[in-house]
Amino acid sequence: MKPEMTLQLMDTHAGGDVSRIVTGGVGPLPGSTVRAQMEYLRDNADGLRTLLLKEPYGIPEMSVDLLVPATDPRAVAGYIIMEVMGYPIYSGSNTICTATAVLEAGLVPKLEGQQHFMLESPAGLVSIEAMVHDGVVDAITCEGLPSYIQTHRASLRVPGIGEVEYSVAYSGGFYALVDAKALGFDLTLSEERALARTAHAIVEAIQGERCFSHYALGDVGPLPFLHFMGPVEPVADGCFRSRSATYVHPGVICRSTTGTGTSARLALMNLEGRMKPGDSLETISLRQTRFIGELTSVAMEGNYPVVRNRITGKSYVIARSDILVNCDDPMVTCGGLSRILSRR
């Protein structure tokens, strides 16, 4: 069979979370901002997301980042994030992977030492700091979204589990934050499936009981994330460490602790008086991978103390490939792909 369309991909991972960076094969999208282009893709060509996150091309534990031209002249590129739950407007791990791909693809010259550039996400401009050593991207530090605690220590009864105490943060999406020990977890890899089942039940219960609205953005959709928090260990003055695990609804435990999950932890620890500007938290995943979140400042916005933060991690390029798309394949649901993909 002669494939009708081709996508160029650079597969990367940060902390174990695989991000498939779409570097070519997609035509220009309508929209005067990256956010508007994301909304067009979501509403008219969701087949790109489902194609790359389902068999035979991928699995739901992956995510996809589509490189698009920036609409803000200060940014070198734009990117649209796609996950099993839909289209988050921001993601730390996806930003780390996209920034690495932009350097490795030559869209930004890779310079030795520290360099800075801007990317445009659906949430807006993101400042990137890249550290390059001997031609290798050793670390990416990116701005996390301003984060705050919308609900502090609420409780609800979850079928099959019982009474669960949780807080809700916004850090690019709404997060339920729960104490892992209180739910019987040590946050080890052997618990991964049980963590997913527990998180699924809690998120379903919260979604069934409550809706959440951002103080400035309004309705940003139902709560899709849950973050299991391990005990916090002081490492040095102003430096902390904690085992963590992030769940994405439905059914996915992330391989990394996630940037937005780490940002949510910073907001909670600040609200509870356990962190202040200048402090940092290293989150450690079930697979022993790590992100570092730094709390940079706090300011009141509306009725909430809103935390500015930075997330540092490392991304690895693991593959470069062409994906051949044939809409006659019974395993493929094209879902509007003909509107956006370039034909061979």
Side-chain angles (χ1 to χ4, degrees):
M1 292 185 296
K2 182 178 180 181
E4 296 183 10
M5 295 168 276
T6 304
L7 289 170
Q8 287 79 50
L9 302 180
M10 183 186 295
D11 283 0
T12 63
H13 85 82
D17 281 323
V18 174
S19 291
R20 316 195 82 175
I21 315 298
V22 182
T23 60
V26 175
L29 300 176
S32 59
T33 64
V34 170
R35 177 70 171 267
Q37 292 175 30
M38 178 203 79
E39 291 167 351
Y40 175 85
L41 193 65
R42 178 194 67 199
D43 298 340
N44 297 280
D46 189 48
L48 180 65
R49 181 182 68 90
T50 57
L51 177 84
L52 294 175
L53 293 180
K54 293 184 178 180
E55 295 183 21
Y57 294 100
I59 57 174
E61 286 80 4
M62 294 177 169
S63 58
V64 177
D65 298 289
L66 170 64
L67 288 179
V68 297
T71 62
D72 189 311
R74 292 171 290 177
V76 298
Y79 62 111
I80 297 169
I81 306 158
M82 292 165 266
E83 296 183 0
V84 63
M85 47 70 68
Y87 293 79
I89 62 172
Y90 189 74
S91 161
S93 60
N94 282 284
T95 300
I96 290 168
C97 286
T98 300
T100 301
V102 161
L103 288 162
E104 295 293 350
L107 297 177
V108 172
K110 194 195 302 182
L111 306 176
E112 195 69 12
Q114 190 179 87
Q115 63 186 111
H116 296 83
F117 55 91
M118 304 280 276
L119 293 174
E120 185 180 357
S121 76
L125 287 174
V126 182
S127 176
I128 303 294
E129 178 185 293
M131 183 61 69
V132 177
H133 180 67
D134 289 340
V136 176
V137 182
D138 268 353
I140 295 288
T141 298
C142 58
E143 290 178 296
L145 284 196
S147 305
Y148 72 98
I149 300 301
Q150 200 274 350
T151 299
H152 188 230
R153 296 196 176 182
S155 65
L156 83 167
R157 182 160 293 278
V158 179
I161 297 174
E163 201 73 16
V164 173
E165 183 180 272
Y166 68 97
S167 296
V168 173
Y170 181 85
S171 54
F174 280 112
Y175 264 87
L177 301 170
V178 299
D179 184 281
K181 278 285 186 190
L183 292 164
F185 293 111
D186 295 319
L187 296 180
T188 61
L189 186 57
S190 63
E191 298 172 328
E192 188 169 40
R193 289 187 179 180
L195 286 164
R197 289 193 298 269
T198 299
H200 186 281
I202 296 171
V203 170
E204 286 281 309
I206 294 173
Q207 287 184 351
E209 182 181 87
R210 301 185 58 187
C211 295
F212 299 94
S213 180
H214 189 280
Y215 68 91
L217 302 174
D219 182 13
V220 293
L223 180 146
F225 303 115
L226 183 143
H227 191 80
F228 291 97
M229 304 180 295
V232 175
E233 170 193 357
V235 179
D237 186 28
C239 298
F240 304 91
R241 179 184 297 143
S242 177
R243 299 187 65 81
S244 306
T246 290
Y247 166 84
V248 182
H249 199 60
V252 172
I253 294 289
C254 296
R255 274 49 179 166
S256 78
T257 54
T258 74
T260 49
T262 302
S263 296
R265 292 289 299 276
L266 299 180
L268 182 63
M269 291 179 68
N270 173 75
L271 183 73
E272 295 179 342
R274 295 186 288 156
M275 285 190 80
K276 62 185 185 302
D279 291 350
S280 64
L281 173 70
E282 182 181 49
T283 51
I284 305 171
S285 75
L286 303 182
R287 289 168 172 77
Q288 306 301 309
T289 60
R290 301 160 188 251
F291 286 162
I292 296 174
E294 179 190 358
L295 197 165
T296 57
S297 66
V298 184
M300 291 299 296
E301 296 186 17
N303 296 318
Y304 302 99
V306 177
V307 166
R308 263 65 180 182
N309 60 95
R310 305 190 331 150
I311 304 297
T312 299
K314 179 176 173 62
S315 174
Y316 297 85
V317 177
I318 55 177
R320 301 172 194 260
S321 62
D322 287 349
I323 294 290
L324 307 179
V325 182
N326 189 327
C327 291
D328 292 332
D329 185 338
M331 291 288 289
V332 174
T333 301
C334 279
L337 284 177
S338 60
R339 296 187 179 122
I340 63 168
L341 296 194
S342 305
R343 293 187 177 273
R344 296 184 71 183

